[in-house]
């Protein structure tokens, strides 16, 4: 029997591509027969029927088959009303006072408005508040809220006032994430845009198969429709780019994918013709390569900017530069090596340059010296890195203000013709799309300095910015190749150098490097044992989230099982997490207001719930105490073991590398993992798997990109025209 029920969301357990699971309390307890003291609604649904992402505090209406179960929660027997794969889910706005107050105070969309102000709004205006919000009447609210809070209230209300659009999308099984991206780009014309071309949904993250079903079922699109054929080619190009990070493809990479989508050879051939005619891709007649138009445009924009900077005249003999060099180096406790001197001089002289090198070769010392020189030249220094932890480490290394690239791009663009240099640290992690946005965000006169190791793990996204710049040979690059650190005695620098060159070290255990030969099925157990020998200085690094979860669970069980679990009360219910007091923890999202970045590590030192926090995390980097809010807790994982992507840009005294069966662990992965260790390294797995990783070509050897060619060819043409 189909039941319809209104409820308020109190908890969201799962929200991913496969399932969404959340629960709440009924808004009308008389609409069903409850024989127990408490009752909750439990929902498990496919995400594509949701009008938006569920958030605690929202009001929802559910329609579907309900199953009632009794369950024991602590000292209470609770009636659980289960809706599994309901027919329909809608979000509703609250209309009574207490519901409105709770909704405004708890929903994240109404940032900066707490319960006191929400109650004052209802007390002053009652249900008339909805008319004020709909009309965006600022003057009536000024006596209660600040302008910033008023704008937050209007924006949050507009988000829910647009539910009629969200319901239209949900009826066509278009998920909330896709809706959010679509509304952000097309705003009120989103539905019209989709009606004009349903395949636009592919651009916002849906698969061709999903969109093709919607197009044919809801918009009567035929199999031979040109929009469908072009979309198939577009999807094939994007899939190839996202899977391997390529910006260049060939017909044998693309045609089989298009054939698989369209299931017809004639339509496939026609699609390739249509795609070229509509400029979905551009063919290079000399090489026969396919270039996705948007990626090619980005590569050309980046290449043009870099070449323009590289072709500016040298000022190496200017008195100002020589003076800046003297100021930068006078406080050094030791003389720079020859290549380090070259790196400092070229970086001060050239408008765009690179400093590369492996672990321990002195990149940080050189960068710190270069920036002192630029400071003496009165340049505005923008030092940025991709991850939050890398940005923090950069700040600690150079002594200048730093930020993440994401935060840099949120700041005002550098539009004026000012003296400014942008330093990109850990540049091997930067993909084409990110570099393109950085270029658009800066005036053409702004200098660039790239610092990193092109042999490390490549960007997750498409492109190979640092590796292509080095490969082109047209941007001034200084490679530091002599180990300067005292930790050369550990054996790690030489070991990592051999791995980087594709050579298996003659001795897998040497110096402070210990290879533990165990079957791959026993890697987790051995990593936990090694971690337990020195927890305060150790970090386990793995390739997959599955392995990190296994290691984290077992480490917690073995080392921290007796400490209490983090629990908290919300809406009168108790919720339990997977974290325990004194667990090492990892933040997985940036939260600048709270003072944490994606990749920040710390220790859970308190689980006492107060009015403002659910506990306290003490950060490893600076010892700061971070009060845990609900949003922060949602981005907090155990940190005994972390993935290499989270570790890149960081180093730890004692690193334990977990080898596995995944192909992700190629030469670049292993090299990057090894160089995360400062003093002691443990590698766990089979010798065969280790050798496979060393000998498998890294992504920068197999990834197909075009930036290096653009830089070389354009530079050559420029040189030829000048000589003529």
């Amino acid at each position: 029997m189909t039941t319809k029920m209104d409820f308020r969301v109190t908890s969201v357990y799962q929200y991913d591509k496969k399932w969404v699971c959340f629960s709440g309390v009924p808004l009308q307890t008389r609409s069903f027969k409850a024989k127990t003291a408490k009752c909750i609604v439990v929902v498990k649904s496919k995400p594509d029927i949701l009008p938006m992402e569920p958030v605690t505090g929202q009001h929802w209406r559910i329609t579907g088959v309900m199953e009632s179960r009794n369950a024991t929660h602590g000292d209470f027997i609770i009636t659980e009303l289960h809706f599994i794969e309901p027919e329909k889910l809608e979000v509703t706005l609250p209309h009574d006072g207490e519901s409105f107050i709770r909704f405004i105070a708890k929903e994240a969309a109404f940032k900066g408005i707490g319960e006191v102000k929400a109650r004052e709004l209802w007390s002053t205006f009652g249900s008339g508040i909805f008319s004020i919000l709909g009309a965006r009447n600022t003057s009536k609210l000024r006596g209660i809220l600040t302008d910033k809070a008023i704008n937050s209230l209007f924006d949050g209300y507009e988000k829910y006032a647009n539910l009629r659009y969200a319901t239209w999308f949900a009826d066509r099984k278009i998920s909330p994430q896709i809706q959010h991206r679509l509304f952000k780009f097309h705003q009120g014309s989103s539905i019209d845009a989709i009606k004009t071309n349903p395949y636009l949904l592919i651009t916002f993250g849906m698969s061709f198969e999903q969109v093709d079903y919607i197009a044919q079922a809801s918009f009567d699109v035929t199999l031979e429709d040109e929009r469908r054929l072009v979309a198939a080619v577009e999807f094939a190009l994007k899939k190839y780019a996202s899977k391997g990070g390529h910006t260049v493809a060939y017909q044998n990479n693309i045609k089989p994918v298009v054939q698989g989508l369209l299931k017809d050879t004639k339509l496939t051939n026609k699609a390739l013709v249509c795609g070229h005619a509509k400029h979905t891709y551009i063919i290079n007649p000399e090489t026969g390569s396919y270039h996705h138009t948007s990626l090619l445009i980005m590569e050309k924009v980046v290449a043009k900017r870099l070449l323009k900077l590289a072709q500016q005249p040298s000022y190496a003999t200017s008195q100002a530069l020589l003076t800046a060099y003297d100021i930068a180096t006078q406080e050094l406790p030791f003389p720079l090596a020859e290549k380090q001197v070259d790196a400092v001089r070229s970086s001060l002289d050239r408008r765009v340059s690179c400093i590369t090198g492996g672990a321990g070769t002195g990149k940080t010392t050189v960068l710190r010296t270069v920036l002192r020189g630029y400071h003496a030249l009165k340049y505005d220094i923008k030092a940025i890195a991709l991850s939050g932890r890398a940005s923090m480490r950069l700040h600690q290394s150079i002594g200048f203000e730093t930020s993440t690239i994401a935060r840099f791009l949120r700041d005002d663009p550098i539009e004026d013709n000012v003296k400014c240099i942008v330093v990109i640290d850990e540049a091997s992690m930067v993909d084409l799309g990110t570099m393109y946005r950085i270029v658009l965000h800066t005036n053409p006169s702004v200098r660039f300095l790239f610092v990193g190791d092109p042999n490390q793990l490549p960007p997750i996204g498409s492109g190979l910015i640092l590796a292509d710049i080095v490969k082109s040979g047209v941007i001034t690059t200084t490679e530091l190749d002599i180990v300067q650190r005292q930790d050369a005695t550990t054996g790690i620098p030489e070991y990592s150098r051999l791995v980087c060159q594709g050579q298996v070290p003659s001795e897998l255990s040497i110096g402070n490097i210990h290879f533990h030969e165990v079957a791959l099925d026993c890697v987790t157990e051995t990593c936990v044992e090694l971690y337990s020998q020195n927890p305060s200085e150790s970090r386990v690094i793995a390739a997959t989230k599955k392995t990190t979860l296994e290691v984290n669970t077992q480490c917690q069980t073995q080392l921290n099982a007796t400490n209490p679990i983090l629990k908290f009360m919300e809406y009168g219910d108790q919720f339990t997490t997977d974290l325990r007091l004194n667990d090492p923890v990892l933040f997985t999202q940036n939260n600048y207001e709270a003072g944490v970045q994606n990749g920040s590590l710390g220790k859970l030192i308190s689980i006492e719930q107060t009015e403002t926090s659910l506990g306290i995390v003490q950060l490893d980097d600076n010892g700061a105490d971070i009060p845990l809010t609900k949003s922060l807790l949602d981005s907090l994982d155990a940190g005994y073991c972390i993935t290499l992507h989270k570790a890149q840009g960081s180093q730890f005294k004692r690193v334990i590398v977990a080898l596995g069966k995944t192909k992700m662990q190629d030469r670049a992965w292993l090299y990057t993992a090894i160089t995360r260790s400062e003093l002691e390294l443990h590698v766990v797995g089979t010798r065969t798997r280790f050798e496979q990783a060393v000998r498998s070509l890294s992504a920068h050897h197999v990834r197909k990109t075009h930036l290096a060619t653009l830089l070389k060819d354009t530079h050559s043409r420029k040189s030829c025209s000048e000589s003529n």
Side-chain angles (χ1 to χ4, degrees), residues 67-90:
E67 179 184 341
S68 179
R69 309 174 189 171
N70 286 340
T72 302
H73 289 240
D75 298 329
F76 295 95
I77 298 177
I78 294 177
T79 299
E80 295 182 345
L81 307 175
H82 286 255
F83 289 82
I84 309 298
E85 296 197 62
E87 299 171 15
K88 192 170 186 179
L89 281 159
E90 306 168 83

PDB file of all heavy atoms in Angstrom, residues 67-90:
ATOM      1  N   GLU A  67       7.367   0.036   5.311  1.00  0.00           N
ATOM      2  CA  GLU A  67       7.431  -1.152   6.161  1.00  0.00           C
ATOM      3  C   GLU A  67       7.774  -0.711   7.579  1.00  0.00           C
ATOM      4  O   GLU A  67       8.780  -0.031   7.801  1.00  0.00           O
ATOM      5  CB  GLU A  67       8.497  -2.122   5.652  1.00  0.00           C
ATOM      6  CG  GLU A  67       8.636  -3.372   6.514  1.00  0.00           C
ATOM      7  CD  GLU A  67       9.767  -4.273   6.061  1.00  0.00           C
ATOM      8  OE1 GLU A  67      10.211  -4.131   4.903  1.00  0.00           O
ATOM      9  OE2 GLU A  67      10.229  -5.103   6.874  1.00  0.00           O
ATOM     10  N   SER A  68       6.937  -1.073   8.548  1.00  0.00           N
ATOM     11  CA  SER A  68       7.139  -0.672   9.940  1.00  0.00           C
ATOM     12  C   SER A  68       7.895  -1.757  10.700  1.00  0.00           C
ATOM     13  O   SER A  68       7.557  -2.941  10.624  1.00  0.00           O
ATOM     14  CB  SER A  68       5.783  -0.417  10.618  1.00  0.00           C
ATOM     15  OG  SER A  68       5.967  -0.044  11.965  1.00  0.00           O
ATOM     16  N   ARG A  69       8.969  -1.341  11.408  1.00  0.00           N
ATOM     17  CA  ARG A  69       9.746  -2.282  12.207  1.00  0.00           C
ATOM     18  C   ARG A  69      10.005  -1.673  13.581  1.00  0.00           C
ATOM     19  O   ARG A  69      10.175  -0.459  13.718  1.00  0.00           O
ATOM     20  CB  ARG A  69      11.102  -2.583  11.546  1.00  0.00           C
ATOM     21  CG  ARG A  69      11.041  -2.996  10.091  1.00  0.00           C
ATOM     22  CD  ARG A  69      12.460  -3.112   9.531  1.00  0.00           C
ATOM     23  NE  ARG A  69      12.450  -3.292   8.078  1.00  0.00           N
ATOM     24  CZ  ARG A  69      13.543  -3.249   7.315  1.00  0.00           C
ATOM     25  NH1 ARG A  69      14.721  -3.032   7.879  1.00  0.00           N
ATOM     26  NH2 ARG A  69      13.465  -3.417   6.003  1.00  0.00           N
ATOM     27  N   ASN A  70      10.059  -2.534  14.596  1.00  0.00           N
ATOM     28  CA  ASN A  70      10.454  -2.094  15.930  1.00  0.00           C
ATOM     29  C   ASN A  70      11.930  -2.390  16.140  1.00  0.00           C
ATOM     30  O   ASN A  70      12.420  -3.454  15.782  1.00  0.00           O
ATOM     31  CB  ASN A  70       9.634  -2.804  17.014  1.00  0.00           C
ATOM     32  CG  ASN A  70       8.218  -2.267  17.088  1.00  0.00           C
ATOM     33  OD1 ASN A  70       7.954  -1.162  16.629  1.00  0.00           O
ATOM     34  ND2 ASN A  70       7.312  -3.034  17.657  1.00  0.00           N
ATOM     35  N   ALA A  71      12.649  -1.422  16.708  1.00  0.00           N
ATOM     36  CA  ALA A  71      14.080  -1.600  16.946  1.00  0.00           C
ATOM     37  C   ALA A  71      14.449  -0.995  18.284  1.00  0.00           C
ATOM     38  O   ALA A  71      13.838  -0.022  18.740  1.00  0.00           O
ATOM     39  CB  ALA A  71      14.889  -0.947  15.826  1.00  0.00           C
ATOM     40  N   THR A  72      15.445  -1.591  18.942  1.00  0.00           N
ATOM     41  CA  THR A  72      15.908  -1.098  20.236  1.00  0.00           C
ATOM     42  C   THR A  72      17.069  -0.135  20.023  1.00  0.00           C
ATOM     43  O   THR A  72      18.077  -0.478  19.409  1.00  0.00           O
ATOM     44  CB  THR A  72      16.367  -2.259  21.136  1.00  0.00           C
ATOM     45  OG1 THR A  72      15.276  -3.167  21.305  1.00  0.00           O
ATOM     46  CG2 THR A  72      16.822  -1.743  22.487  1.00  0.00           C
ATOM     47  N   HIS A  73      16.941   1.100  20.506  1.00  0.00           N
ATOM     48  CA  HIS A  73      17.986   2.112  20.456  1.00  0.00           C
ATOM     49  C   HIS A  73      18.288   2.523  21.892  1.00  0.00           C
ATOM     50  O   HIS A  73      17.557   3.306  22.496  1.00  0.00           O
ATOM     51  CB  HIS A  73      17.536   3.332  19.647  1.00  0.00           C
ATOM     52  CG  HIS A  73      17.434   3.065  18.176  1.00  0.00           C
ATOM     53  ND1 HIS A  73      18.175   3.753  17.253  1.00  0.00           N
ATOM     54  CD2 HIS A  73      16.683   2.177  17.468  1.00  0.00           C
ATOM     55  CE1 HIS A  73      17.881   3.320  16.033  1.00  0.00           C
ATOM     56  NE2 HIS A  73      16.962   2.352  16.145  1.00  0.00           N
ATOM     57  N   GLY A  74      19.352   1.963  22.457  1.00  0.00           N
ATOM     58  CA  GLY A  74      19.666   2.248  23.856  1.00  0.00           C
ATOM     59  C   GLY A  74      18.574   1.713  24.757  1.00  0.00           C
ATOM     60  O   GLY A  74      18.254   0.514  24.744  1.00  0.00           O
ATOM     61  N   ASP A  75      17.950   2.599  25.534  1.00  0.00           N
ATOM     62  CA  ASP A  75      16.879   2.192  26.448  1.00  0.00           C
ATOM     63  C   ASP A  75      15.499   2.315  25.820  1.00  0.00           C
ATOM     64  O   ASP A  75      14.490   2.080  26.491  1.00  0.00           O
ATOM     65  CB  ASP A  75      16.933   3.048  27.731  1.00  0.00           C
ATOM     66  CG  ASP A  75      18.236   2.860  28.497  1.00  0.00           C
ATOM     67  OD1 ASP A  75      18.789   1.743  28.413  1.00  0.00           O
ATOM     68  OD2 ASP A  75      18.686   3.811  29.158  1.00  0.00           O
ATOM     69  N   PHE A  76      15.450   2.713  24.543  1.00  0.00           N
ATOM     70  CA  PHE A  76      14.155   2.960  23.911  1.00  0.00           C
ATOM     71  C   PHE A  76      13.825   1.894  22.867  1.00  0.00           C
ATOM     72  O   PHE A  76      14.708   1.368  22.205  1.00  0.00           O
ATOM     73  CB  PHE A  76      14.144   4.335  23.213  1.00  0.00           C
ATOM     74  CG  PHE A  76      14.286   5.497  24.153  1.00  0.00           C
ATOM     75  CD1 PHE A  76      15.528   6.054  24.398  1.00  0.00           C
ATOM     76  CD2 PHE A  76      13.177   6.029  24.796  1.00  0.00           C
ATOM     77  CE1 PHE A  76      15.671   7.125  25.258  1.00  0.00           C
ATOM     78  CE2 PHE A  76      13.304   7.100  25.655  1.00  0.00           C
ATOM     79  CZ  PHE A  76      14.552   7.653  25.895  1.00  0.00           C
ATOM     80  N   ILE A  77      12.538   1.613  22.746  1.00  0.00           N
ATOM     81  CA  ILE A  77      12.042   0.824  21.617  1.00  0.00           C
ATOM     82  C   ILE A  77      11.433   1.814  20.634  1.00  0.00           C
ATOM     83  O   ILE A  77      10.518   2.565  20.974  1.00  0.00           O
ATOM     84  CB  ILE A  77      10.991  -0.210  22.064  1.00  0.00           C
ATOM     85  CG1 ILE A  77      11.617  -1.205  23.031  1.00  0.00           C
ATOM     86  CG2 ILE A  77      10.417  -0.930  20.842  1.00  0.00           C
ATOM     87  CD1 ILE A  77      10.626  -2.217  23.573  1.00  0.00           C
ATOM     88  N   ILE A  78      11.969   1.820  19.443  1.00  0.00           N
ATOM     89  CA  ILE A  78      11.584   2.828  18.454  1.00  0.00           C
ATOM     90  C   ILE A  78      10.929   2.165  17.255  1.00  0.00           C
ATOM     91  O   ILE A  78      11.358   1.100  16.805  1.00  0.00           O
ATOM     92  CB  ILE A  78      12.823   3.630  18.009  1.00  0.00           C
ATOM     93  CG1 ILE A  78      13.353   4.448  19.189  1.00  0.00           C
ATOM     94  CG2 ILE A  78      12.521   4.537  16.836  1.00  0.00           C
ATOM     95  CD1 ILE A  78      14.607   5.216  18.875  1.00  0.00           C
ATOM     96  N   THR A  79       9.901   2.801  16.736  1.00  0.00           N
ATOM     97  CA  THR A  79       9.288   2.353  15.498  1.00  0.00           C
ATOM     98  C   THR A  79      10.039   2.965  14.325  1.00  0.00           C
ATOM     99  O   THR A  79      10.167   4.192  14.234  1.00  0.00           O
ATOM    100  CB  THR A  79       7.809   2.772  15.420  1.00  0.00           C
ATOM    101  OG1 THR A  79       7.103   2.181  16.506  1.00  0.00           O
ATOM    102  CG2 THR A  79       7.189   2.330  14.098  1.00  0.00           C
ATOM    103  N   GLU A  80      10.594   2.120  13.463  1.00  0.00           N
ATOM    104  CA  GLU A  80      11.290   2.582  12.261  1.00  0.00           C
ATOM    105  C   GLU A  80      10.384   2.373  11.059  1.00  0.00           C
ATOM    106  O   GLU A  80       9.941   1.258  10.787  1.00  0.00           O
ATOM    107  CB  GLU A  80      12.598   1.822  12.063  1.00  0.00           C
ATOM    108  CG  GLU A  80      13.625   2.087  13.152  1.00  0.00           C
ATOM    109  CD  GLU A  80      14.938   1.364  12.899  1.00  0.00           C
ATOM    110  OE1 GLU A  80      14.956   0.443  12.054  1.00  0.00           O
ATOM    111  OE2 GLU A  80      15.936   1.722  13.532  1.00  0.00           O
ATOM    112  N   LEU A  81      10.072   3.455  10.359  1.00  0.00           N
ATOM    113  CA  LEU A  81       9.222   3.404   9.176  1.00  0.00           C
ATOM    114  C   LEU A  81      10.126   3.410   7.947  1.00  0.00           C
ATOM    115  O   LEU A  81      10.689   4.443   7.571  1.00  0.00           O
ATOM    116  CB  LEU A  81       8.273   4.593   9.159  1.00  0.00           C
ATOM    117  CG  LEU A  81       7.444   4.777  10.441  1.00  0.00           C
ATOM    118  CD1 LEU A  81       6.632   6.052  10.369  1.00  0.00           C
ATOM    119  CD2 LEU A  81       6.545   3.572  10.678  1.00  0.00           C
ATOM    120  N   HIS A  82      10.320   2.245   7.357  1.00  0.00           N
ATOM    121  CA  HIS A  82      11.284   2.091   6.263  1.00  0.00           C
ATOM    122  C   HIS A  82      10.612   2.292   4.905  1.00  0.00           C
ATOM    123  O   HIS A  82       9.597   1.660   4.597  1.00  0.00           O
ATOM    124  CB  HIS A  82      11.919   0.701   6.310  1.00  0.00           C
ATOM    125  CG  HIS A  82      12.915   0.538   7.425  1.00  0.00           C
ATOM    126  ND1 HIS A  82      14.269   0.526   7.209  1.00  0.00           N
ATOM    127  CD2 HIS A  82      12.743   0.397   8.763  1.00  0.00           C
ATOM    128  CE1 HIS A  82      14.897   0.377   8.361  1.00  0.00           C
ATOM    129  NE2 HIS A  82      13.989   0.295   9.329  1.00  0.00           N
ATOM    130  N   PHE A  83      11.217   3.175   4.102  1.00  0.00           N
ATOM    131  CA  PHE A  83      10.814   3.364   2.704  1.00  0.00           C
ATOM    132  C   PHE A  83      12.009   2.968   1.835  1.00  0.00           C
ATOM    133  O   PHE A  83      13.016   3.679   1.794  1.00  0.00           O
ATOM    134  CB  PHE A  83      10.435   4.817   2.429  1.00  0.00           C
ATOM    135  CG  PHE A  83       9.148   5.261   3.058  1.00  0.00           C
ATOM    136  CD1 PHE A  83       9.110   5.662   4.387  1.00  0.00           C
ATOM    137  CD2 PHE A  83       7.974   5.278   2.317  1.00  0.00           C
ATOM    138  CE1 PHE A  83       7.932   6.085   4.966  1.00  0.00           C
ATOM    139  CE2 PHE A  83       6.778   5.693   2.891  1.00  0.00           C
ATOM    140  CZ  PHE A  83       6.752   6.103   4.223  1.00  0.00           C
ATOM    141  N   ILE A  84      11.933   1.808   1.196  1.00  0.00           N
ATOM    142  CA  ILE A  84      13.013   1.333   0.343  1.00  0.00           C
ATOM    143  C   ILE A  84      12.647   1.604  -1.115  1.00  0.00           C
ATOM    144  O   ILE A  84      11.623   1.135  -1.600  1.00  0.00           O
ATOM    145  CB  ILE A  84      13.278  -0.180   0.544  1.00  0.00           C
ATOM    146  CG1 ILE A  84      13.445  -0.489   2.031  1.00  0.00           C
ATOM    147  CG2 ILE A  84      14.503  -0.617  -0.250  1.00  0.00           C
ATOM    148  CD1 ILE A  84      14.612   0.206   2.688  1.00  0.00           C
ATOM    149  N   GLU A  85      13.492   2.384  -1.798  1.00  0.00           N
ATOM    150  CA  GLU A  85      13.244   2.795  -3.187  1.00  0.00           C
ATOM    151  C   GLU A  85      11.828   3.351  -3.356  1.00  0.00           C
ATOM    152  O   GLU A  85      10.989   2.777  -4.057  1.00  0.00           O
ATOM    153  CB  GLU A  85      13.501   1.635  -4.153  1.00  0.00           C
ATOM    154  CG  GLU A  85      14.961   1.178  -4.158  1.00  0.00           C
ATOM    155  CD  GLU A  85      15.308   0.345  -5.370  1.00  0.00           C
ATOM    156  OE1 GLU A  85      15.198   0.874  -6.478  1.00  0.00           O
ATOM    157  OE2 GLU A  85      15.681  -0.832  -5.193  1.00  0.00           O
ATOM    158  N   PRO A  86      11.534   4.475  -2.695  1.00  0.00           N
ATOM    159  CA  PRO A  86      10.197   5.082  -2.786  1.00  0.00           C
ATOM    160  C   PRO A  86       9.883   5.562  -4.195  1.00  0.00           C
ATOM    161  O   PRO A  86      10.772   5.733  -5.032  1.00  0.00           O
ATOM    162  CB  PRO A  86      10.295   6.259  -1.809  1.00  0.00           C
ATOM    163  CG  PRO A  86      11.745   6.577  -1.738  1.00  0.00           C
ATOM    164  CD  PRO A  86      12.456   5.270  -1.881  1.00  0.00           C
ATOM    165  N   GLU A  87       8.599   5.818  -4.424  1.00  0.00           N
ATOM    166  CA  GLU A  87       8.155   6.270  -5.740  1.00  0.00           C
ATOM    167  C   GLU A  87       8.566   7.721  -6.001  1.00  0.00           C
ATOM    168  O   GLU A  87       8.953   8.084  -7.113  1.00  0.00           O
ATOM    169  CB  GLU A  87       6.628   6.156  -5.842  1.00  0.00           C
ATOM    170  CG  GLU A  87       6.100   4.737  -5.687  1.00  0.00           C
ATOM    171  CD  GLU A  87       4.581   4.708  -5.585  1.00  0.00           C
ATOM    172  OE1 GLU A  87       3.953   5.749  -5.913  1.00  0.00           O
ATOM    173  OE2 GLU A  87       4.025   3.676  -5.178  1.00  0.00           O
ATOM    174  N   LYS A  88       8.479   8.558  -4.949  1.00  0.00           N
ATOM    175  CA  LYS A  88       8.733   9.981  -5.148  1.00  0.00           C
ATOM    176  C   LYS A  88       9.242  10.611  -3.860  1.00  0.00           C
ATOM    177  O   LYS A  88       8.818  10.254  -2.770  1.00  0.00           O
ATOM    178  CB  LYS A  88       7.450  10.692  -5.603  1.00  0.00           C
ATOM    179  CG  LYS A  88       7.656  12.111  -6.107  1.00  0.00           C
ATOM    180  CD  LYS A  88       6.385  12.644  -6.756  1.00  0.00           C
ATOM    181  CE  LYS A  88       6.623  14.006  -7.392  1.00  0.00           C
ATOM    182  NZ  LYS A  88       5.417  14.532  -8.060  1.00  0.00           N
ATOM    183  N   LEU A  89      10.165  11.563  -4.006  1.00  0.00           N
ATOM    184  CA  LEU A  89      10.675  12.327  -2.871  1.00  0.00           C
ATOM    185  C   LEU A  89      10.645  13.809  -3.226  1.00  0.00           C
ATOM    186  O   LEU A  89      11.082  14.204  -4.309  1.00  0.00           O
ATOM    187  CB  LEU A  89      12.111  11.909  -2.542  1.00  0.00           C
ATOM    188  CG  LEU A  89      12.265  10.602  -1.751  1.00  0.00           C
ATOM    189  CD1 LEU A  89      13.666  10.037  -1.933  1.00  0.00           C
ATOM    190  CD2 LEU A  89      11.975  10.831  -0.279  1.00  0.00           C
ATOM    191  N   GLU A  90      10.104  14.628  -2.339  1.00  0.00           N
ATOM    192  CA  GLU A  90      10.010  16.063  -2.565  1.00  0.00           C
ATOM    193  C   GLU A  90      10.527  16.799  -1.335  1.00  0.00           C
ATOM    194  O   GLU A  90      10.457  16.289  -0.219  1.00  0.00           O
ATOM    195  CB  GLU A  90       8.566  16.485  -2.815  1.00  0.00           C
ATOM    196  CG  GLU A  90       7.862  15.735  -3.939  1.00  0.00           C
ATOM    197  CD  GLU A  90       6.370  16.002  -3.938  1.00  0.00           C
ATOM    198  OE1 GLU A  90       5.967  17.041  -4.488  1.00  0.00           O
ATOM    199  OE2 GLU A  90       5.627  15.186  -3.365  1.00  0.00           O
TER     200      GLU A  90
END
